[in-house]
Amino acid sequence: MGVLSDDAIKFLTEKFNEADTDKSGSIDHSELEAALAKIAEKEGFEKPTKQEIDDRIAAIDTSGDGRIDLKEFLEFVAFVKIMMIVGIMFKEVDTDGSGAIDAKELKALITTISESEVGEKLDPPKDEEVAEYLKALDASGDGTIDFKEFAYFMVPMIIK
């Protein structure tokens, strides 16, 4: 899977198997409800509603059969991990906390990525180069890169 370590896959498989109480190889609504209720009780959260459980199944169930199999579960956890990494990176790059990356912040990001690839300090890219990157990444055309645009750019890099 690449994104999840062997230890993480082993741990997640164990947790999946604990939730799959009927040992069918997939988790249905009642099994997910029981697992989430146990977590909620342990952590002091409210139990999820039927709709919340249905929404979770819909988000994870890529086959559309109303059940979550191990592959779907692992892929979902890997996706969440990647999006958490992207979120942390976005927050680090968005130094002014505006919720968007401007040309100055993009210039710093490009410099950091370039230096990490070659392993030495480099001159920052020219403003014209930054403007080209900004134009390429700014799907909305508003002159900045929002989280969705940033994720579209970064996710393939993280997976690689």
Side-chain angles (χ1 to χ4, degrees):
M1 180 158 293
V3 174
L4 300 174
S5 69
D6 290 342
D7 286 343
I9 292 170
K10 181 180 177 186
F11 173 78
L12 291 166
T13 300
E14 289 171 6
K15 294 303 171 190
F16 179 88
N17 289 334
E18 287 174 16
D20 179 19
T21 55
D22 67 2
K23 305 303 177 205
S24 66
S26 62
I27 298 172
D28 63 17
H29 188 280
S30 64
E31 290 169 323
L32 183 58
E33 180 178 22
L36 293 176
K38 187 187 298 185
I39 293 168
E41 184 178 324
K42 180 180 178 190
E43 299 298 326
F45 302 137
E46 283 189 42
K47 290 181 184 179
T49 65
K50 178 185 180 325
Q51 184 60 52
E52 289 169 334
I53 293 167
D54 289 344
D55 291 346
R56 284 180 175 89
I57 290 174
I60 301 170
D61 176 26
T62 57
S63 69
D65 65 359
R67 302 172 66 82
I68 302 167
D69 65 29
L70 179 60
K71 181 179 181 281
E72 291 169 329
F73 178 69
L74 293 174
E75 287 172 350
F76 178 76
V77 173
F79 171 78
V80 169
K81 179 180 177 181
I82 289 169
M83 293 311 291
M84 288 175 69
I85 292 167
V86 171
I88 292 166
M89 293 174 71
F90 185 83
K91 188 174 179 180
E92 288 295 314
V93 175
D94 179 22
T95 56
D96 66 5
S98 67
I101 297 170
D102 60 24
K104 178 183 170 189
E105 293 163 329
L106 181 58
K107 187 175 200 171
L109 174 63
I110 294 167
T111 302
T112 301
I113 291 171
S114 299
E115 289 176 352
S116 70
E117 287 181 359
V118 297
E120 62 184 66
K121 186 131 176 81
L122 300 173
D123 290 330
K126 293 181 172 53
D127 289 343
E128 298 80 27
E129 294 171 310
V130 174
E132 286 179 36
Y133 279 114
L134 185 61
K135 185 177 179 182
L137 298 173
D138 179 20
S140 67
D142 67 357
T144 62
I145 301 166
D146 63 21
F147 179 78
K148 184 177 177 181
E149 294 163 334
F150 182 76
Y152 187 77
F153 169 67
M154 290 305 299
V155 167
M157 293 177 70
I158 293 169
I159 291 172
K160 183 179 172 187

